[in-house]
Amino acid sequence: MTHINKLKIFNDPIYGFITIPNELVYDLIQHPYFQRLRRISQMGLSYLVYPGANHTRFHHALGCMHLMKKAIDTLRFKDVVISEEEENALLIAILLHDIGHGPFSHAMERSIVEDVHHEAISLLFMNQLNEEFDGRLSLAIQVFKGEYHRKFMLQLISSQLDMDRMDYLKRDSFYTGVAEGNVNSERLIQMMNVENDVLVIEEKGIYSVEKFLLSRRLMYWQAYLHKTSLVAELILMKVLKRAKELILKGVNLPCSEPLSYFMHNKITLENFDAERLDLFSQLDDFDIISALKAWQRNDDFVLSTLSKMIINRDLLKIKMSAEKVSVEESQSLKEKFANQHHISQLDAGYFIFRGKIKNQAYSKEAEPIRILKKDKTIEDVVEASDQLNLKSLSKLVTKYYICFPKQLI
């Protein structure tokens, strides 16, 4: 049997070389469940706005693992005891934290499966992998679920200043070219410490935290909630909703076998068994794109028109405002469009719809970002900061939108 060198190196455009720390991590990366992440875009349909935003969940997961290794090294240097087993658990938990994402990420959570959050699917994948790897992921799962007694470990994976956010802000900023999102993850990690079992940032790192929160807010408005990305994602959800509706009426729609299964069946967390998980693992962005390409030529006006919109990037118009859009406004647009195309008002609702988006860079309700002051007291970053902008960053901003076809202007 030939011996494979499993301590490989990836070349990452952001951090340079990323090393695979051990054979178990290598085998997890090689697993088809994880390789699938190469076919799932990190930012959904944002490439319709930022042509460079074609990076994948695979890329992001490796970046998170790299940052986690740096965080562990920093904490150990500051005399925080982390055993080899705990280190492995942290690396595996962050590596697999997004493994449950469906095609085009968030758009699918409400379309392909019935409100099953990607984190719940990630956990299903982890449990399945744990069986295949003879229980060697048990501690990682415990940490991921927040059941491990060392609280700071979960904070490194999931909190308001975790490795996930640090990587995606830096990576998405790099690939979109939105410079405002570029965070100094190196410095933030250098400032980390653990006090009374919770993660803290040393006082001299407070400006880096402020910059991180500001970057997050700007990335949400400029990239994640950019109105064109938003409208494209909403159209994609409408396409899948329409396809499901037609399939329930007995219409035969061409699409891949795994996609067809999820379109025909109602999948909830309760009936998400190993067989269905395997089918889910065969789904990626390509299933959706090839379905849209086929559906462009369908006889159904709604399905074909919406599919063409995404394929040809000829999207609906989206209007944002601070005020709620009136029912009357959307109703009159629906009537106008229904008459123009001789369709029902119900079908016109696929083209004219309202909604709202929220953006909050820092939540006071969630676990706070704690600052360790020189006198060893700990304060919430909002209180410790002398910057007024942190107060405004923790304010929830809501914007309302209405989508409608361009010809109705």
Side-chain angles (χ1 to χ4, degrees):
M1 191 178 137
T2 55
H3 178 72
I4 302 172
N5 169 25
K6 295 186 175 180
L7 301 177
K8 301 230 180 266
I9 288 171
F10 286 95
N11 192 350
D12 184 77
I14 293 164
Y15 310 119
F17 294 114
I18 294 179
T19 337
I20 294 180
N22 57 53
E23 295 200 356
L24 174 58
V25 170
Y26 174 87
D27 291 337
L28 286 168
I29 290 172
Q30 282 296 92
H31 195 283
Y33 286 171
F34 192 80
Q35 287 293 321
R36 159 184 169 271
L37 297 180
R38 289 183 185 270
R39 302 185 300 279
I40 292 188
S41 63
Q42 171 71 14
M43 288 183 70
L45 289 159
S46 292
Y47 63 80
L48 294 174
V49 181
Y50 298 105
N54 275 310
H55 54 304
T56 65
R57 293 261 160 206
F58 180 88
H59 218 163
H60 163 61
L62 290 177
C64 290
M65 181 188 75
H66 173 73
L67 291 181
M68 183 64 87
K69 181 82 184 85
K70 287 221 175 303
I72 292 166
D73 292 346
T74 300
L75 293 175
R76 278 184 177 153
F77 180 72
K78 294 178 182 177
D79 298 325
V80 177
V81 178
I82 298 170
S83 70
E84 199 176 319
E85 195 191 358
E86 287 172 331
E87 173 178 5
N88 239 355
L90 284 167
L91 294 173
I92 291 167
I94 197 71
L95 185 73
L96 304 180
H97 78 284
D98 268 350
I99 200 169
H101 267 293
F104 292 112
S105 305
H106 300 283
M108 298 298 105
E109 280 177 23
R110 294 177 286 280
S111 315
I112 286 188
V113 288
E114 304 285 324
D115 282 326
V116 184
H117 202 263
H118 71 267
E119 281 174 7
I121 303 174
S122 291
L123 202 51
L124 294 173
F125 274 125
M126 283 188 194
N127 288 326
Q128 185 63 34
L129 287 166
N130 199 27
E131 274 182 43
E132 288 180 36
F133 285 89
D134 305 321
R136 289 161 76 198
L137 277 69
S138 298
L139 188 59
I141 292 168
Q142 216 184 329
V143 173
F144 182 78
K145 287 164 80 175
E147 291 170 0
Y148 193 56
H149 66 276
R150 303 189 75 183
K151 196 178 168 187
F152 78 89
M153 291 195 173
L154 176 65
Q155 291 172 286
L156 288 168
I157 296 161
S158 178
S159 66
Q160 298 205 70
L161 190 64
D162 56 25
M163 300 305 119
D164 175 32
R165 290 181 183 192
M166 273 189 218
D167 181 81
Y168 77 61
L169 286 172
K170 203 169 177 62
R171 191 168 298 281
D172 298 348
S173 153
F174 177 88
Y175 283 96
T176 54
V178 178
E180 288 83 354
N182 190 4
V183 295
N184 191 346
S185 47
E186 290 276 322
R187 170 136 177 103
L188 282 164
I189 288 171
Q190 287 300 320
M191 294 297 113
M192 285 183 168
N193 210 332
V194 173
E195 196 72 27
N196 304 330
D197 200 41
V198 293
L199 198 63
V200 293
I201 299 289
E202 290 160 6
E203 194 173 6
K204 54 181 181 283
I206 193 162
Y207 300 116
S208 303
V209 177
E210 288 173 2
K211 165 75 168 63
F212 168 83
L213 293 172
L214 189 60
S215 299
R216 189 162 183 265
R217 183 195 185 97
L218 294 172
M219 277 301 281
Y220 267 85
W221 287 135
Q222 278 186 264
Y224 311 128
L225 297 175
H226 185 289
K227 60 182 193 166
T228 309
S229 316
L230 178 67
V231 78
E233 198 165 290
L234 291 164
I235 294 168
L236 181 57
M237 284 158 66
K238 298 280 178 195
V239 173
L240 292 161
K241 184 181 169 205
R242 181 61 166 191
K244 264 194 167 174
E245 204 175 283
L246 293 172
I247 284 167
L248 286 174
K249 287 180 182 166
V251 179
N252 188 19
L253 290 182
C255 59
S256 72
E257 220 173 294
L259 182 58
S260 173
Y261 181 84
F262 282 94
M263 297 306 272
H264 279 88
N265 297 283
K266 190 174 176 173
I267 309 298
T268 60
L269 195 54
E270 284 65 49
N271 63 13
F272 218 128
D273 54 19
E275 199 182 324
R276 290 185 169 125
L277 187 67
D278 196 59
L279 272 165
F280 185 85
S281 77
Q282 293 167 46
L283 275 179
D284 54 50
D285 292 5
F286 295 93
D287 296 79
I288 304 294
I289 292 292
S290 56
L292 293 176
K293 284 167 76 178
W295 296 345
Q296 289 179 104
R297 289 178 292 282
N298 195 274
D299 294 339
D300 181 72
F301 171 78
V302 176
L303 188 72
S304 63
T305 310
L306 292 173
S307 298
K308 279 179 199 153
M309 282 181 180
I310 295 178
I311 295 295
N312 303 324
R313 199 198 176 277
D314 187 9
L315 306 166
L316 293 169
K317 179 99 181 124
I318 180 167
K319 207 164 80 182
M320 295 268 196
S321 68
E323 305 300 316
K324 257 189 182 154
V325 184
S326 70
V327 180
E328 295 73 37
E329 189 184 343
S330 68
Q331 194 50 43
S332 72
L333 286 170
K334 273 184 205 171
E335 283 168 19
K336 198 172 164 189
F337 190 72
N339 293 335
Q340 264 179 16
H341 295 278
H342 312 294
I343 56 171
S344 70
Q345 288 210 28
L346 200 65
D347 284 355
Y350 276 98
F351 300 90
I352 295 124
F353 47 88
R354 304 170 305 147
K356 62 180 177 184
I357 47 171
K358 293 174 177 174
N359 183 3
Q360 187 177 26
Y362 182 72
S363 165
K364 285 180 170 174
E365 279 70 64
E367 178 102 28
I369 296 175
R370 295 176 176 89
I371 302 295
L372 177 68
K373 306 196 75 166
K374 290 188 178 66
D375 62 3
K376 290 290 179 203
T377 57
I378 294 174
E379 244 185 325
D380 183 326
V381 67
V382 174
E383 309 309 321
S385 164
D386 56 3
Q387 296 285 327
L388 286 170
N389 65 5
L390 273 206
K391 297 260 192 301
S392 63
L393 285 179
S394 49
K395 201 175 95 209
L396 184 67
V397 180
T398 306
K399 286 187 183 180
Y400 299 90
Y401 63 81
I402 180 166
C403 302
F404 54 90
K406 291 180 180 130
Q407 64 264 39
L408 290 180
I409 299 169

